[in-house]
Amino acid sequence: MSGESSVSEGTNVEGEAPVVEPTVETDDATITDESELERTLGLTGGLAIGIGTMIGAGIFVFPGLAAGRAGPAAAVSFSIGAVVALLVALPTSELATAMPKSGGGYYFISRGLGTLAGAVVGLSLWFGLVFATAFYLVGFGYYAVDTLAELGIAVGEGLVIPIALLFGAGFTVLNVTGTENAAKLQNGVVALLLSILIVFLGYGGLESVGLVGDPAAPERFAPFGAMPVFTTAALVFTSYLGFAQVATVAGEMKDPGRNLPLAMVGSVLIVGVLYVVTIFVATSAFGSETLSGFGETAMVEVGRDYLGPIGAFAIVFGGLLATMSSANASVLSTSRAIYAVSRDALLPRRASRINLRYGTPHTALGMAGGPILVLTATGRVELLAEVASFLHLIMYGLICVALIALRRNEPEWYDPDFRVPGYPVVPALGAISSFALIGFMQPASLYVGTGIMIATAGWYAYYARDVTLKGQL
């Protein structure tokens, strides 16, 4: 070990330094100056967080869009996304057990690669989550309009964006009034959602293979060739963005060296299987071309085909819950990303102020909610999803690079409970596959994502170039 010492020096242009928060870890708790987190989460709890965060809008919004691009081979696209997520999950697990702090990927990269990389990733993560939340809200708007139509109230797609904006503002206010309220809503929604999905996919799967009803007519597996399979994988990777959330509770997990990697890998595998089965069931009900024509709410017509009006209503209600769940969780995550970079003096300290009445970072929530509503107003579903994927893939690739950098020159404080098997092959493949997937995105997404990264680097150069974060804080 090289013995790199703890570093906290330098200030931003306002004279603010990073907030140092020493951490003491025991078998029973993770203790900081501000809190004591008891280790109460087991493997089941970790799996619930990972699955609950990932099962959301993607499974209801993407099938029609993905089938239109890649045909039944869209199932392979979802599998590619799962493989990339797995390659990143293991390095993330090691870093999380070495640095059990809130902030997730941003924290690992800023401490492993330094302030510039940390600033670009931390600020880009803010915008990446903003794009993802706007994508979820537009999907929510479509499902809200379809729910009203199933109830006999036809309002037309002209209300999709107004409904999305109204609920986006509502979720922001809900999160300001307390994390506990938002968490209760999240847990209830995920439990109901999983029940609907398991029943629907179970019946649809049996009918697809001919065990119930008539077997599906065969369709060419990859009607558009191999390339669309990869471009579709880049689009639908948004579906896996939540797996790294498990790492943020490393300090509250029992036996983190065992349970954290199992929870991250297990949740990616379970959700990946659900996505693949969903595409199989959807493309078995209709041909890819017909499914694509149904657009963002194609799954409603799939539900109607298998189970009649009850199936259509169950799916439209499930889609409403899923998009609501994803949007609400993302508003919360966006505000916490802003809170983390503000505590490190990469944004003004006032961005991390806590509301004295509700105990929530109300300024950060405002900085999350405002841009989300602006992007939601554009209604560009595919562009929003791809830019969100772009910015997250940059972060995942750099997480793997940060692990390699720390392992090559291990500081004294680096003592993870879990170490990646197959090092350095696994993190190297994780970095390469994350960056490679970006190459299959449409030019507009690449331009927007690259523009955001350049802007964040410029902000660092102006505002926080004297701040040093590399090392343990």
Side-chain angles (χ1 to χ4, degrees):
M1 293 186 179
S2 67
E4 184 177 348
S5 61
S6 194
V7 178
S8 171
E9 55 188 39
T11 61
N12 60 27
V13 295
E14 298 186 62
E16 298 166 337
V19 176
V20 179
E21 191 177 50
T23 302
V24 176
E25 287 188 75
T26 69
D27 290 340
D28 300 319
T30 300
I31 305 162
T32 68
D33 287 347
E34 296 186 349
S35 63
E36 179 174 334
L37 298 174
E38 293 185 14
R39 294 190 183 278
T40 55
L41 283 172
L43 177 57
T44 304
L47 283 170
I49 290 172
I51 295 169
T53 310
M54 282 186 278
I55 284 291
I59 206 164
F60 288 93
V61 178
F62 276 134
L65 303 175
R69 281 188 172 201
V76 178
S77 304
F78 277 98
S79 301
I80 291 171
V83 170
V84 175
L86 285 172
L87 287 170
V88 179
L90 291 171
T92 304
S93 298
E94 175 173 327
L95 292 169
T97 58
M99 294 176 267
K101 301 264 193 174
S102 60
Y106 155 71
Y107 194 90
F108 310 148
I109 292 165
S110 61
R111 272 60 183 179
L113 298 178
T115 311
L116 173 58
V120 171
V121 166
L123 297 173
S124 295
L125 179 60
W126 166 18
F127 292 106
L129 288 166
V130 163
F131 274 85
T133 311
F135 161 69
Y136 300 143
L137 283 171
V138 175
F140 173 81
Y142 277 107
Y143 269 96
V145 165
D146 271 23
T147 300
L148 291 173
E150 292 297 323
L151 295 172
I153 306 170
V155 295
E157 292 192 354
L159 279 183
V160 166
I161 299 303
I163 290 173
L165 290 171
L166 178 66
F167 277 80
F171 292 143
T172 304
V173 172
L174 177 69
N175 277 279
V176 169
T177 59
T179 306
E180 187 179 354
N181 293 333
K184 284 180 181 175
L185 172 68
Q186 191 73 6
N187 292 340
V189 165
V190 168
L192 188 54
L193 186 58
L194 276 177
S195 302
I196 292 173
L197 275 176
I198 289 170
V199 171
F200 169 70
L201 292 179
Y203 184 86
L206 291 175
E207 184 159 331
S208 297
V209 297
L211 293 177
V212 177
D214 299 323
E219 182 184 5
R220 191 176 168 195
F221 184 66
F224 310 114
M227 184 57 74
V229 175
F230 291 98
T231 59
T232 305
L235 169 68
V236 303
F237 189 75
T238 314
S239 308
Y240 295 100
L241 296 190
F243 74 90
Q245 287 299 315
V246 185
T248 63
V249 297
E252 301 166 68
M253 190 165 276
K254 299 174 188 170
D255 193 4
R258 170 185 176 273
N259 289 333
L260 188 63
L262 285 177
M264 293 187 73
V265 171
S267 57
V268 170
L269 287 174
I270 291 170
V271 170
V273 168
L274 283 175
Y275 280 133
V276 170
V277 173
T278 298
I279 291 295
F280 174 70
V281 168
T283 53
S284 297
F286 300 100
S288 300
E289 187 176 347
T290 305
L291 196 65
S292 174
F294 293 138
E296 288 82 355
T297 54
M299 288 300 290
V300 179
E301 300 310 318
V302 176
R304 195 190 313 280
D305 183 71
Y306 282 119
L307 298 169
I310 293 176
F313 185 78
I315 291 299
V316 83
F317 185 60
L320 199 63
L321 291 177
T323 48
M324 179 191 298
S325 163
S326 294
N328 183 52
S330 288
V331 169
L332 180 69
S333 297
T334 309
S335 67
R336 297 313 185 263
I338 296 169
Y339 179 81
V341 294
S342 172
R343 297 263 297 176
D344 279 345
L346 302 180
L347 282 176
R349 183 63 42 77
R350 52 187 174 277
S352 57
R353 283 181 187 158
I354 300 295
N355 185 290
L356 295 178
R357 181 175 179 184
Y358 298 112
T360 52
H362 60 289
T363 306
L365 280 162
M367 293 169 68
I372 286 169
L373 296 181
V374 171
L375 287 176
T376 300
T378 69
R380 299 279 304 277
V381 176
E382 291 195 33
L383 180 67
L384 293 170
E386 271 206 356
V387 174
S389 289
F390 175 101
L391 295 170
H392 279 81
L393 282 165
I394 291 288
M395 179 177 76
Y396 295 152
L398 288 178
I399 284 176
C400 297
V401 174
L403 171 69
I404 293 171
L406 284 166
R407 282 277 203 108
R408 284 171 62 89
N409 188 20
E410 288 196 18
E412 287 182 354
W413 53 264
Y414 191 75
D415 185 24
D417 291 330
F418 166 79
R419 286 183 178 262
V420 177
Y423 174 87
V425 175
V426 171
L429 285 176
I432 292 169
S433 59
S434 295
F435 296 139
L437 205 52
I438 291 172
F440 293 102
M441 292 181 172
Q442 55 182 318
S445 306
L446 296 175
Y447 296 147
V448 174
T450 304
I452 289 174
M453 291 183 62
I454 292 172
T456 56
W459 173 261
Y460 158 78
Y462 159 70
Y463 190 79
R465 64 180 178 276
D466 293 330
V467 174
T468 302
L469 296 173
K470 192 171 184 180
Q472 186 184 33
L473 283 182

